[in-house]
Amino acid sequence: MADVTVSQFAEVLKVPIDKLLTQLDQAGIKVSGPDAVISDDAKLLLLSHLRRSHGQADDAAVGVAAPRKITLQRKQQSEIKLAGGSGRARTVNVEVRVKRTYVKRDVLGEKAKTQGEDTEAKRLEAEEAVRIERERQEQERREAERLETENRRRLEEEAAARRAADEARRAVEQREREQSEADKQDRSRGTPAAGEARPAAARAGDARAAKGGAAETDRDKRTRYGRAELHVSTDASSRLKKKKKVRERKAPLGMEQRHGFELPTAPVVREVAIGETITPQELAQKMAVKATEVIKVMMNMGVMATINQPIDQDTAVLVIEEMGHTAKIRKENQIETDIQGATGEAIEALPRPPVVTVMGHVDHGKTSLLDYIRKAKVAAGEAGGITQHIGAYHVQTLKGGVTFLDTPGHAAFTAMRARGARATDVVVLVVAADDGVMPQTIEAIQHARAAGVPIVVAVNKIDKSTADPDRVRTELSKQEVIPEEWGGQNIFVNVSAYTGQGIDQLLDTILLQAEVLELAAPPGGLASGLIVEASVEKGRGAVATVLVKKGTLQLGDPIIAGQEFGRVRAMFDETGKAVSEAKPSMPVLVLGLSGVPNAGDEILAVESERKAREVALYRQGKFRDVKLAKQVAAVGDVFSQMAEEKAGVISVVIKVDVQGSAEALRDALTKLSTEEVQVKVVASGVGGITASDVQLAAASKAMVLGFNVRADGGARDAVKETGVDVRYFSIIYEAIDDIKQRMSGLLAPEVKEQIVGTAQVRDVFRSSKFGVVAGCLVIEGVVKRNNPIRVLRDNVVIFEGALESLRRFKDDVGEVRAGTECGIGVKNYQDVRVGDQIECYSRVEVARAIA
């Protein structure tokens, strides 16, 4: 850098000139003024002074380290002239800022040194870890070799001891055999002295043999590697010795051969445990015979099955007995017994509300009676005003709670009524006072008696002018339901669901009956109950109406119902309110099952979901095996299929909203089948109609019957493509009537004969052209040319045929009415006599209908 003045140097350093002059004076640099020139040496001298005064010297004095880096900032301003659009120039100030940081070389060196030391330390640590791992592996290898050597030595010693014992035993047996042979020879020669001297020689031989055997054992132990039984010496003489030794061991051919297995002298009779199904392979293994033998026995019995095809229990018992073994019926449902036993804990039983089932004939007011009790309108919401589902409701009265089950009264819902009777404590039989006892009333009485529950009769509609309660009592007494006032055991209450008359008395009677029954159930422990109804709801999945019988059902409990399992995700009461638990006799709507269970299945709460899954899968497998085992192709099945092909068949795919309706509709349609027309239910399920249902119907040439459900978008598109007939119904008897009409259309029409007219033969003429011509008088109806005729003699039919000619005088006519004479020529019949009657009739086809 060239020499500069003090003022220029101050401007570069950005310090005042006075301060710079003072610093130069303190550094011992004499300058005359701001215009004096300062050299590079003076600048270095000033820098050293400033370092001593503000840097190392002071820092060392106070114990603070010198700065390791310095940051310098510089600013440089300039102007740029820009030409404007109008020809005038514009000036723009530009400021350039520069920032530089300088680091001391010793600091960089220290950093590099520190990084090098860290790298070296890591390298040493890695090498040390590798060395330690190698030492550990070497130690493990040595320990393994030591253990292997010890095991090998131990095995060699045991083998040597066994070999020595075997050789000694063989030597003793050889000597005994030689001694016995020598004794026999001596006896034959009569020289007992030799026999007496033999034991001493034998004892001497024993001693030599024992000593030789011990010496041989010592020589075997003194092999190079200490493995006498595995080592083969390279010496030829030793190999020859071993070969000689082996030959000497095999020499005694007369030695008795002994082994641990002997042929049984009598047949072995085994006890074979079998379950509900078993395969021939498993059956053969349990009887210790070949599977082909089992198949052969089954073929002789007329049963055709493969080696892995399940057979039923009865067939398996016959096969076992045929092969001479004993069959033992095994209890295969032990897993279910265990899970049910887990629920039967010893918990104190407490009183519970009664479960009351309302039964009776259709339209006798069951639901209306229950509506008055519940203060709700449910019957109006049912299609056609008839109940088609089992409704479960819990009513709280002043004297306690009561759970009601409302069952359908239609004839198709027999299974629902039977199920309701099984789940109940008291049956309320509703009979209309103006209608009396009807078929479903009698059926409800039978269900209640089969379930063994008391009957309380509610004589409904007594507010009507045509009501006759005494008639109801008289008709029910014929069914052995006798009122108490007549000396019987059944309580009769006159009620009106319209005015509310007698409702309080009915509730009091129900609660009184419950007190007599002393109903109780344990409120604690795992819950168990009954599936009253089940369905599939969009967005909620499988939904089941559960009536809890004992225990408490809580949220999150693992449950199993029939072949389905799951966990309680949510519970709702009959009003739709979410609840967290359900105590005995409380109906709830449960969400969380893997599928739709069958109505009437028992529901159990178990300890874990794994246990529930295990039992459900076991039940599914057992159901499948039993179904396969019963599918045996018989000759009768072939004939039944041929008869089915000849008869008319209506195939139906049923989709309903709830499981109970599917059961009722399937049974009702199946009962419609006759010898001429049959209803075949291809499939039935719960939920909306899907595309797969339509495809199934198209493949089986069936119609789809939707009961309170509709087809989704995919199913509607499939219907357009396949042309499958889809019908929707909301009332069950309308669906049954529709199927009846279809069946009636397939019935062959009935042919009926109708007499059109009768003619009396008055005279007989013979014509060369027509043969015998009968002169007749029409006495009844009309005789027509084209209708068939019968010839009657003494009111007995002697000929059936047709007219060949019909004339009135000389004219051919089409018909002749009563009171008119005519000539009749009978085709292919010449034995017409005076006094015969010619009857003219017509055949009429009458359409038939299913009753």
Side-chain angles (χ1 to χ4, degrees):
M1 175 183 269
D3 296 339
V4 296
T5 62
V6 175
S7 59
Q8 292 175 348
F9 190 51
E11 185 178 357
V12 171
L13 296 179
K14 306 297 183 181
V15 296
I17 298 176
D18 296 340
K19 184 176 181 180
L20 180 59
L21 291 173
T22 304
Q23 291 176 348
L24 289 172
D25 185 34
Q26 292 176 355
I29 302 171
K30 302 299 183 179
V31 293
S32 58
D35 297 331
V37 178
I38 181 171
S39 62
D40 292 339
D41 296 336
K43 294 176 184 178
L44 294 174
L45 185 61
L46 176 61
L47 180 59
S48 300
H49 168 68
L50 292 176
R51 286 179 176 175
R52 285 193 303 271
S53 59
H54 302 289
Q56 296 176 354
D58 294 341
D59 294 340
V62 298
V64 180
R68 297 176 177 269
K69 61 182 179 178
I70 298 175
T71 303
L72 300 179
Q73 294 181 354
R74 291 184 181 180
K75 295 181 181 179
Q76 183 178 358
Q77 296 181 350
S78 60
E79 295 180 354
I80 298 176
K81 292 184 178 181
L82 301 175
S86 60
R88 291 181 299 178
R90 188 174 58 174
T91 304
V92 178
N93 294 327
V94 179
E95 182 178 290
V96 180
R97 297 180 181 179
V98 180
K99 180 178 180 181
R100 293 183 180 179
T101 302
Y102 298 92
V103 182
K104 294 176 66 176
R105 287 190 179 89
D106 55 353
V107 174
L108 295 176
E110 290 178 359
K111 287 185 177 179
K113 184 179 179 181
T114 303
Q115 292 178 355
E117 291 177 354
D118 293 342
T119 304
E120 183 66 19
K122 292 180 179 179
R123 185 181 64 79
L124 294 176
E125 290 179 359
E127 292 179 354
E128 183 66 18
V130 171
R131 184 185 61 79
I132 293 174
E133 180 66 20
R134 288 177 179 174
E135 290 179 355
R136 185 184 63 78
Q137 293 178 356
E138 182 66 19
Q139 185 176 0
E140 290 179 355
R141 186 183 62 79
R142 292 174 181 174
E143 182 67 18
E145 289 180 354
R146 185 183 64 79
L147 294 176
E148 184 180 359
T149 303
E150 291 181 356
N151 291 334
R152 189 165 55 244
R153 184 181 300 110
R154 179 175 55 80
L155 294 174
E156 291 171 356
E157 292 176 355
E158 293 177 356
R162 286 196 300 271
R163 187 171 59 255
D166 292 341
E167 291 177 354
R169 179 175 56 80
R170 291 192 189 96
V172 172
E173 292 176 354
Q174 180 67 18
R175 286 193 300 272
E176 290 178 354
R177 189 162 51 251
E178 292 176 353
Q179 183 178 354
S180 61
E181 292 177 356
D183 291 341
K184 291 179 181 179
Q185 294 176 0
D186 292 342
R187 290 194 202 98
S188 62
R189 290 194 301 264
T191 55
E196 293 174 1
R198 187 67 181 170
R203 285 194 297 272
D206 293 341
R208 288 195 300 271
K211 186 182 294 184
E216 187 69 22
T217 302
D218 294 338
R219 283 196 299 272
D220 290 341
K221 289 183 179 179
R222 290 195 299 272
T223 56
R224 180 182 301 177
Y225 300 103
R227 299 189 334 193
E229 74 280 2
L230 297 178
H231 174 64
V232 179
S233 176
T234 56
D235 189 4
S237 61
S238 62
R239 286 199 299 270
L240 292 175
K241 290 180 180 180
K242 287 184 177 292
K243 289 182 180 180
K244 291 179 180 180
K245 189 181 297 182
V246 172
R247 285 196 297 269
E248 290 174 359
R249 292 175 185 172
K250 293 183 179 179
L253 298 176
M255 179 180 177
E256 182 182 1
Q257 301 293 330
R258 297 182 181 180
H259 53 78
F261 302 98
E262 295 182 357
L263 185 66
T265 58
V268 179
V269 179
R270 290 181 171 81
E271 189 178 66
V272 182
I274 57 174
E276 293 187 6
T277 61
I278 192 172
T279 62
Q281 177 69 34
E282 296 173 352
L283 198 59
Q285 292 177 355
K286 293 185 177 183
M287 292 188 294
V289 297
K290 293 182 179 180
T292 54
E293 297 293 331
V294 178
I295 298 293
K296 188 184 299 182
V297 172
M298 293 174 61
M299 291 177 66
N300 293 333
M301 295 171 56
V303 179
M304 310 298 288
T306 61
I307 193 171
N308 293 320
Q309 181 178 348
I311 58 177
D312 58 359
Q313 194 177 78
D314 297 336
T315 305
V317 171
L318 294 176
V319 172
I320 293 170
E321 293 177 351
E322 182 70 20
M323 300 190 72
H325 299 280
T326 304
K328 178 182 179 183
I329 306 300
R330 187 178 62 190
K331 188 178 181 182
E332 282 200 351
N333 59 345
Q334 186 65 37
I335 184 172
E336 297 186 7
T337 305
D338 295 340
I339 193 173
Q340 292 176 357
T343 60
E345 300 176 359
I347 301 176
E348 182 183 0
L350 299 178
R352 63 172 178 84
V355 179
V356 180
T357 299
V358 183
M359 304 176 72
H361 192 72
V362 62
D363 201 24
H364 274 204
K366 300 180 295 299
T367 306
S368 300
L369 181 65
L370 186 58
D371 290 342
Y372 191 90
I373 299 174
R374 298 177 56 241
K375 304 297 182 183
K377 292 293 183 183
V378 175
E382 291 283 356
I386 66 170
T387 302
Q388 305 186 94
H389 307 145
I390 287 186
Y393 315 102
H394 186 74
V395 179
Q396 197 67 32
T397 65
L398 296 177
K399 296 184 179 181
V402 182
T403 297
F404 286 97
L405 299 181
D406 184 16
T407 62
H410 195 273
F413 296 95
T414 302
M416 285 192 182
R417 287 192 293 275
R419 188 159 56 248
R422 290 198 307 269
T424 190
D425 302 315
V426 179
V427 169
V428 174
L429 182 64
V430 179
V431 185
D434 61 340
D435 202 4
V437 176
M438 300 299 287
Q440 272 64 60
T441 309
I442 300 174
E443 183 185 326
I445 296 173
Q446 295 172 352
H447 289 320
R449 286 175 177 167
V453 293
I455 299 175
V456 175
V457 181
V459 183
N460 195 17
K461 301 182 181 181
I462 62 170
D463 57 302
K464 288 190 173 183
S465 59
T466 58
D468 189 0
D470 292 336
R471 171 194 168 194
V472 174
R473 287 172 168 79
T474 302
E475 292 178 351
L476 286 178
S477 62
K478 297 179 181 178
Q479 305 297 328
E480 298 182 0
V481 180
I482 303 174
E484 282 186 340
E485 55 266 25
W486 291 8
Q489 298 180 350
N490 299 103
I491 303 176
F492 279 63
V493 181
N494 296 333
V495 297
S496 173
Y498 182 73
T499 63
Q501 178 183 352
I503 299 296
D504 294 337
Q505 182 182 357
L506 178 63
L507 293 175
D508 293 343
T509 303
I510 292 172
L511 294 173
L512 177 62
Q513 190 72 48
E515 290 181 4
V516 173
L517 295 175
E518 297 181 354
L519 303 175
L526 297 176
S528 65
L530 187 72
I531 300 292
V532 178
E533 194 56 271
S535 61
V536 175
E537 295 184 8
K538 187 175 182 180
R540 304 172 81 179
V543 178
T545 302
V546 177
L547 177 64
V548 180
K549 301 293 288 183
K550 64 178 181 179
T552 301
L553 187 63
Q554 299 179 348
L555 284 176
D557 283 352
I559 53 177
I560 178 171
Q563 300 179 21
E564 308 298 336
F565 67 95
R567 187 180 292 273
V568 179
R569 292 194 289 108
M571 287 191 297
F572 304 93
D573 59 9
E574 69 273 7
T575 62
K577 180 182 177 182
V579 295
S580 59
E581 62 179 15
K583 295 188 177 298
S585 299
M586 181 176 178
V588 287
L589 205 67
V590 175
L591 278 67
L593 285 170
S594 59
V596 181
N598 293 325
D601 286 345
E602 185 180 11
I603 183 171
L604 297 171
V606 297
E607 298 176 353
S608 65
E609 191 171 359
R610 182 191 61 81
K611 188 71 173 176
R613 180 190 299 271
E614 181 182 356
V615 176
L617 294 178
Y618 164 75
R619 290 177 176 177
Q620 294 173 8
K622 184 173 69 172
F623 174 78
R624 182 171 57 253
D625 290 344
V626 172
K627 184 177 180 181
L628 290 175
K630 292 182 179 180
Q631 290 178 349
V632 179
V635 178
D637 294 338
V638 176
F639 288 120
S640 64
Q641 293 174 4
M642 294 173 60
E644 181 178 316
E645 292 178 358
K646 291 183 180 179
V649 177
I650 297 178
S651 300
V652 181
V653 175
I654 300 174
K655 293 304 289 290
V656 299
D657 54 344
V658 295
Q659 187 71 35
S661 298
E663 181 184 15
L665 193 57
R666 184 173 59 248
D667 294 342
L669 295 182
T670 304
K671 290 179 181 178
L672 295 177
S673 298
T674 63
E675 294 182 357
E676 298 183 51
V677 183
Q678 298 179 357
V679 178
K680 182 178 181 181
V681 179
V682 177
S684 63
V686 178
I689 301 173
T690 61
S692 60
D693 298 327
V694 177
Q695 297 295 340
L696 175 61
S700 56
K701 298 180 181 180
M703 64 174 290
V704 179
L705 195 152
F707 188 75
N708 287 333
V709 295
R710 294 294 181 268
D712 56 14
R716 288 194 292 270
D717 295 339
V719 168
K720 294 178 181 178
E721 295 177 359
T722 59
V724 173
D725 187 11
V726 179
R727 302 221 169 181
Y728 302 114
F729 300 96
S730 57
I731 302 176
I732 190 168
Y733 57 75
E734 291 182 356
I736 297 173
D737 291 342
D738 183 77
I739 298 298
K740 280 184 178 180
Q741 292 179 2
R742 288 174 170 267
M743 295 175 66
S744 300
L746 295 178
L747 289 176
E750 182 180 359
V751 179
K752 291 186 177 180
E753 294 182 355
Q754 185 176 0
I755 298 176
V756 178
T758 306
Q760 182 78 32
V761 178
R762 296 293 179 91
D763 200 355
V764 178
F765 305 95
R766 295 190 179 272
S767 170
S768 59
K769 183 178 180 181
F770 299 104
V772 177
V773 177
C776 303
L777 175 66
V778 179
I779 60 176
E780 183 179 356
V782 180
V783 176
K784 296 182 180 181
R785 177 190 294 272
N786 298 325
N787 286 4
I789 64 166
R790 294 190 184 96
V791 178
L792 286 76
R793 186 173 296 164
D794 298 331
N795 293 324
V796 176
V797 177
I798 60 175
F799 178 77
E800 291 187 10
L803 293 179
E804 187 174 12
S805 64
L806 179 64
R807 288 195 172 192
R808 170 73 174 148
F809 297 106
K810 293 183 179 182
D811 300 328
D812 289 333
V813 294
E815 64 179 26
V816 178
R817 297 186 175 275
T820 308
E821 293 181 348
C822 63
I824 296 176
V826 181
K827 189 175 183 180
N828 299 328
Y829 187 70
Q830 304 295 325
D831 190 20
V832 180
R833 301 179 184 178
V834 177
D836 292 347
Q837 290 183 348
I838 298 176
E839 184 181 80
C840 182
Y841 65 94
S842 63
R843 290 187 176 92
V844 180
E845 292 185 353
V846 180
R848 298 165 59 196
I850 299 294

